Amino acid sequence: GAVVSQHPSWVICKSGTSVKIECRSLDFQATTMFWYRQFPKQSLMLMATSNEGSKATYEQGVEKDKFLINHASLTLSTLTVTSAHPEDSSFYICSANSLKLGQGRSATFGSGTRLTVV
Amino acid sequence: QKEVEQNSGPLSVPEGAIASLNCTYSDRGSQSFFWYRQYSGKSPELIMFIYSNGDKEDGRFTAQLNKASQYVSLLIRDSQPSDSATYLCAGGGFQKLVFGTGTRLLVSP
């Protein structure tokens, strides 16, 4: 149980274009979804937290107009990287959590999306 | 600034040995702690979580938490080459986890 699906697993796009990444909770309703970014040899950095039906909360230094997050339902959140630039190339990972998963249960991670901007 | 600190390694151990991974955290308000394993190019997978002082065992893995010292550790018994990965320590609550930079473990045959 608690499976999170993330698509696409990799994407190459041209500089200046936009890329949308989807994160779905398959067998549970995700109260909260998180978006992380991970550069090579670095740890996961939280970009934003989103609760279904409300605006995402962005971490300091993350441009909300560049990284658009939509959490329209309890099973789907999307991250759109707008006007992508080579420095946005990274590994983007979503995770989802639900209070119903129980105490101590951590967020379940999607498989990640490798974004390369050329 | 809430921080989770880990030694980046690599930590090298021979096959069959015990690997000991350590983590310290700064936020005394953190409720739960998690150990994730991350293979290169993959997303993290949960190994264990712990929220009470003491030890918690699951198969070859034992997590230890000392809230007074703000210290978390993960022991891997009978290490296997397939255990070679980066191990991430994370602390926090339901809404937000703070991750350490990870410790790279190398288990040699």
Side-chain angles (χ1 to χ4, degrees):
Chain A
V3 178
V4 175
S5 173
Q6 185 175 343
H7 294 282
S9 56
W10 62 269
V11 58
I12 301 173
C13 71
K14 290 185 177 180
S15 186
T17 61
S18 296
V19 173
K20 180 183 285 188
I21 302 169
E22 287 191 354
C23 181
R24 294 181 183 271
S25 56
L26 297 185
D27 53 359
F28 69 103
Q29 293 184 324
T31 322
T32 307
M33 287 189 171
F34 307 88
W35 287 95
Y36 294 86
R37 180 168 55 181
Q38 187 178 35
F39 292 107
K41 299 189 186 302
Q42 296 186 23
S43 190
L44 279 71
M45 296 301 296
L46 180 65
M47 299 175 68
T49 303
S50 73
N51 295 298
E52 184 266 339
S54 61
K55 290 184 178 180
T57 301
Y58 290 81
E59 295 299 303
Q60 190 173 10
V62 178
E63 300 174 59
K64 62 180 180 181
D65 294 329
K66 180 173 181 61
F67 299 99
L68 302 178
I69 292 173
N70 185 295
H71 191 167
S73 76
L74 283 170
T75 60
L76 174 64
S77 177
T78 60
L79 167 68
T80 301
V81 182
T82 63
S83 186
H85 291 284
E87 57 264 31
D88 298 323
S89 299
S90 186
F91 191 46
Y92 292 84
I93 311 173
C94 72
S95 70
N97 206 349
S98 170
L99 284 169
K100 293 181 180 179
L101 294 178
Q103 182 185 11
R105 183 64 183 266
S106 80
T108 301
F109 285 90
S111 55
T113 298
R114 174 77 57 192
L115 171 63
T116 303
V117 184
V118 297
Chain B
Q1 182 76 11
K2 301 174 183 178
E3 294 182 346
V4 174
E5 304 273 352
Q6 292 182 260
N7 188 316
S8 61
L11 172 65
S12 296
V13 299
E15 183 175 358
I18 296 175
S20 177
L21 304 162
N22 305 312
C23 170
T24 59
Y25 61 94
S26 63
D27 181 17
R28 286 192 173 273
S30 294
Q31 299 293 313
S32 305
F33 301 89
F34 305 87
W35 283 100
Y36 290 87
R37 177 173 61 198
Q38 185 176 27
Y39 293 109
S40 180
K42 303 294 185 182
S43 66
E45 53 180 324
L46 181 67
I47 298 175
M48 291 188 70
F49 67 87
I50 185 169
Y51 51 84
S52 299
N53 271 329
D55 297 358
K56 180 181 179 182
E57 186 174 320
D58 183 1
R60 297 188 295 114
F61 300 96
T62 299
Q64 299 173 318
L65 173 59
N66 184 323
K67 290 189 176 182
S69 301
Q70 296 177 245
Y71 177 88
V72 192
S73 67
L74 178 70
L75 300 178
I76 306 175
R77 290 180 298 281
D78 188 25
S79 296
Q80 301 296 309
S82 58
D83 294 326
S84 298
T86 296
Y87 289 79
L88 302 172
C89 172
F94 174 79
Q95 278 296 321
K96 184 175 177 178
L97 287 180
V98 177
F99 283 84
T101 52
T103 298
R104 187 169 168 225
L105 173 66
L106 297 175
V107 181
S108 53

